[in-house]
Amino acid sequence: MFIGRHAELSKLNEMHGSDVFEFAVIYGRRRVGKTTLIREFIKGKKNLFFVAGESTAADNLLSLSRCVGGRSTSPVYADYESALWEIFEMGESERFIFVIDEFPYLAGAYRGISSLLQIVIDQVKNTSKLMLILCGSSLSFMENQVLGYQSPLFGRRTAQFRILPFTFFEALPFFGSFEAEDKAILYCITGGTPEYLQRINNTKTVRENIVDLFLTPAGLLFEEPANLLKQELREPATYNAIIEAIASGASRLNEISTKIGLEGNKCAKYLKSLIALGLVGKEYPYGVTASKRSIYKLEDFMFRFWYRFVFPNMSAIVAGLGDGVYDNEVAPQLSTYMGLAFENICRQWLFEMAKKDALPFFAGNLGRWWGTDPKARIQVEIDIMSVRNSAALFAECKWSSSEIGIDVYHDLKRKSEIFGFKENFFYILTKAHPSAMLLDLEHAPASGHGFTKCYTLREMIGALGERPLKFI
C-alpha cells in the first residue's frame, strides 16, 4: 500500500500531462521514500528507469545499455552521448519518462554527465515530450551540483522536490490501533522515515517494537545511524562524537567542542556538514536571525533516540541484554526524551491547523523562544510562539502523565507579558488531560484580548478531521 505524498504525486502528474519537456529533480535523505514515490508515479506510464551504481563509468554505461535493451545481451553504447541521444529520441513523438536514480553515483563515475545532459536538453527542450527525472540521496550534491548556480544543469529543471520524512499526522496510517500516546512514541523513535515506519509491528507493544528494532543485534535500526554516517561522511568517528554530545544535552558550540575535545572552528565545520544532511539544525530564539544565543539540536529524532539509548549500550545489546537496556535505560528516560519530541509534534499540529485556517491569525512562522525575563531576572523559555502585527500566539507543550493544572496557563501568560502584545492567544497542548479549572478558563467568554485553548494529543488528532492523505 502506498501512503501519502499526494502533493508530490499531484504535481508530477500535472507535469506529465503538460506534454512538453519537463525536468524534475527529486532528492532527500536515504530511506525517505524517493524511489517509492517515483515508482508509484510511473505506474502505467511509458518509462525507462535506470538506477546508477557506485561503480565505474564503464559499468554504469553497460547497465544503462541493458536497461534500454531489456536484456543482458543488449549491445553496449559506444559512449554516454550516444546513449542519451537515443533515449531522448524516445520522447520525440510521445510522452516518455526517463529516470536516473542515484544520479550522484553516475556523476561520480562519469564527471561529464551533467554537461552532456545540458547539451542534449538545450537541443531538444523546445520540441521534446520527454520527462526527465534525476533523483539522489546526497543532499549537498543535488543542491550544489544539480540545482546550484555553478552546475551545468542550473536553470534547466522545471520542478524540484526535496522529500522529507513524514510528519506525525501523515504517519498515522502506519500505527493501526495503537493508543495516541504510543503512536507519538513510535513516530518519534523512527523519525517519520517511511522505511522504518513500515517495520512497526502493530501486533506487538511499544516495548517489543523498540527492543526488536533497536535493542537486538539483528534489529533493523541497531546500527542504522552509524551505517548512514559511513555512507555519507568521512571521519564518521568525529561525527559520532558530535551527535552523541548533542543527544546527551550539549547544545552550544563551545559545549559541543569542549565535550569532544575539538577546536571550535573545526567543530563548526563538522556541524555544517551535519546541517547539510538534515541531521542537525541551528536554532535561534523566535524572531532572531543571528545571535550568540543560537543552539544546535538534532533534527532527526530517530538519531536522537539511537545516540541517547543505543550507542552507549552497544556492548550490553550485543551480549543479549536488550530487554534489560529497555527496562533500566529506556523506560525511565522515555518521558524526558519525548518532551522535546512532543514539541515537534505540536508545532506540526499548529501548521496543520494553519492550513485549515483554524488559528486566530495566519501563523506562517512558528518557533521556540528563550531569553531573560526582565522583571523576574530569570531565564525563561516558550515552547512555541508566532507573531503577526499586534497579535501573538503562545503554546505550552506538556508530555506529562499527570493532570495539567491552571498554573501552566498562569506561567505561560506571565512569560507572554515579556513581549507586550495587545492580543494574546494561548494554546495548552498536552498528552494528559487538562484540569477542570483549565477547561473552565477555555470555556469562559473571551476578554477581547485573546483566548485559551486546551488540547490533549487525542483531541489534536481529532481536530484535524480526515486528512487528505491518498492511500493506494
Side-chain angles (χ1 to χ4, degrees):
M1 180 175 72
F2 182 83
I3 296 176
R5 306 298 187 203
H6 64 281
E8 293 87 349
L9 274 175
S10 177
K11 179 60 179 177
L12 287 167
N13 280 313
E14 177 187 325
M15 295 172 69
H16 186 265
S18 73
D19 217 31
V20 297
F21 176 76
E22 299 279 7
F23 174 17
V25 177
I26 299 176
Y27 67 109
R29 281 172 37 205
R30 297 182 187 280
R31 317 283 197 265
V32 82
K34 303 179 300 298
T35 301
T36 302
L37 168 65
I38 295 172
R39 290 200 179 278
E40 181 65 27
F41 162 63
I42 64 176
K43 280 183 180 178
K45 302 178 178 74
K46 190 171 183 180
N47 72 87
L48 175 66
F49 194 107
F50 169 60
V51 182
E54 196 172 8
S55 187
T56 64
D59 282 345
N60 274 295
L61 183 60
L62 176 60
S63 296
L64 181 59
S65 299
R66 291 171 174 170
C67 186
V68 174
R71 59 186 187 278
S72 60
T73 57
S74 56
V76 179
Y77 288 110
D79 48 43
Y80 280 96
E81 183 175 4
S82 303
L84 289 180
W85 276 115
E86 181 169 315
I87 294 168
F88 271 67
E89 284 175 2
M90 297 178 188
E92 280 187 347
S93 58
E94 62 178 334
R95 178 55 98 194
F96 179 77
I97 305 168
F98 176 35
V99 180
I100 304 180
D101 200 1
E102 298 295 354
F103 180 70
Y105 287 158
L106 180 59
Y110 180 64
R111 297 187 181 277
I113 190 65
S114 294
S115 296
L116 185 54
L117 277 170
Q118 174 213 336
I119 292 169
V120 179
I121 289 170
D122 288 349
Q123 292 262 2
V124 305
K125 63 182 180 181
N126 293 327
T127 57
S128 177
K129 296 185 178 184
L130 183 85
M131 183 171 181
L132 173 66
I133 298 176
L134 299 186
C135 181
S137 300
S138 172
L139 271 66
S140 58
F141 180 92
M142 298 300 288
E143 289 178 345
N144 297 322
Q145 302 301 317
V146 178
L147 299 170
Y149 178 75
Q150 295 182 333
S151 168
L153 295 171
F154 177 76
R156 271 79 183 174
R157 63 104 177 93
T158 55
Q160 64 190 61
F161 304 81
R162 179 170 178 175
I163 308 302
L164 300 172
F166 285 133
T167 68
F168 170 64
F169 303 97
E170 291 171 330
L172 287 175
F174 289 97
F175 304 128
S177 59
F178 279 105
E179 293 296 321
E181 176 183 333
D182 291 339
K183 290 176 180 179
I185 293 171
L186 291 167
Y187 168 76
C188 291
I189 66 168
T190 56
T193 301
E195 175 69 19
Y196 311 147
L197 288 166
Q198 290 178 347
R199 302 305 179 97
I200 292 171
N201 189 328
N202 293 318
T203 67
K204 294 187 176 183
T205 64
V206 168
R207 181 188 189 279
E208 290 170 332
N209 272 285
I210 290 176
V211 171
D212 288 350
L213 289 170
F214 290 95
L215 305 181
T216 58
L220 172 70
L221 302 179
F222 172 61
E223 294 182 308
E224 182 74 352
N227 290 334
L228 288 175
L229 288 183
K230 289 175 184 177
Q231 293 174 15
E232 297 287 349
L233 300 163
R234 300 175 183 176
E235 302 178 74
T238 302
Y239 290 104
N240 265 326
I242 291 173
I243 296 175
E244 185 186 17
I246 298 174
S248 62
S251 59
R252 301 187 185 277
L253 178 59
N254 63 330
E255 294 173 345
I256 299 167
S257 59
T258 299
K259 192 161 188 175
I260 67 173
L262 190 65
E263 293 179 9
N265 60 339
K266 291 183 179 179
C267 185
K269 291 181 180 178
Y270 286 103
L271 284 164
K272 188 176 180 180
S273 296
L274 291 171
I275 290 171
L277 282 176
L279 298 177
V280 170
K282 189 174 184 180
E283 186 179 18
Y284 299 94
Y286 179 84
V288 177
T289 56
S291 169
K292 292 182 179 179
R293 290 187 288 161
S294 65
I295 60 173
Y296 292 92
K297 63 175 184 177
L298 291 183
E299 296 283 7
D300 189 302
F301 280 89
M302 187 276 284
F303 270 71
R304 187 166 174 262
F305 181 89
W306 192 88
Y307 278 93
R308 186 162 180 172
F309 298 115
V310 180
F311 189 65
N313 297 293
M314 296 285 277
S315 296
I317 296 169
V318 171
L321 300 174
D323 288 299
V325 171
Y326 182 89
D327 293 335
N328 293 280
E329 299 292 338
V330 178
Q333 301 182 65
L334 190 57
S335 183
T336 303
Y337 161 82
M338 284 300 298
L340 185 60
F342 183 56
E343 285 183 26
N344 187 49
I345 289 174
C346 292
R347 191 176 293 112
Q348 294 173 4
W349 180 78
L350 286 167
F351 275 127
E352 293 295 332
M353 292 292 279
K355 292 176 187 177
K356 293 170 67 71
D357 198 23
L359 295 180
F361 56 81
F362 177 71
N365 190 20
L366 296 164
R368 187 156 54 110
W369 184 89
W370 61 94
T372 303
D373 182 337
K375 291 183 179 179
R377 295 183 180 180
I378 58 172
Q379 292 295 305
V380 298
E381 180 177 316
I382 297 173
D383 292 339
I384 304 174
M385 67 176 292
S386 183
V387 174
R388 189 166 185 84
N389 301 325
S390 61
L393 179 155
F394 300 94
E396 185 77 13
C397 311
K398 291 290 186 183
W399 184 266
S400 172
S401 297
S402 59
E403 191 176 67
I404 304 301
I406 193 71
D407 57 312
V408 173
Y409 162 74
H410 287 306
D411 184 55
L412 181 59
K413 185 175 183 296
R414 177 183 55 79
K415 290 186 287 189
S416 74
E417 291 170 355
I418 296 173
F419 301 92
F421 288 100
K422 293 180 179 179
E423 290 184 288
N424 295 321
F425 303 92
F426 301 105
Y427 286 79
I428 310 299
L429 309 174
T430 171
K431 177 187 76 171
H433 292 285
S435 68
M437 289 182 68
L438 196 54
L439 290 175
D440 287 342
L441 177 67
E442 178 184 15
H443 295 124
S447 65
H449 300 289
F451 55 74
T452 303
K453 294 286 186 181
C454 307
Y455 290 90
T456 64
L457 178 59
R458 180 187 291 272
E459 290 169 339
M460 289 162 63
I461 295 171
L464 294 179
E466 290 296 326
R467 284 184 48 80
L469 287 174
K470 187 174 183 180
F471 306 98
I472 301 174

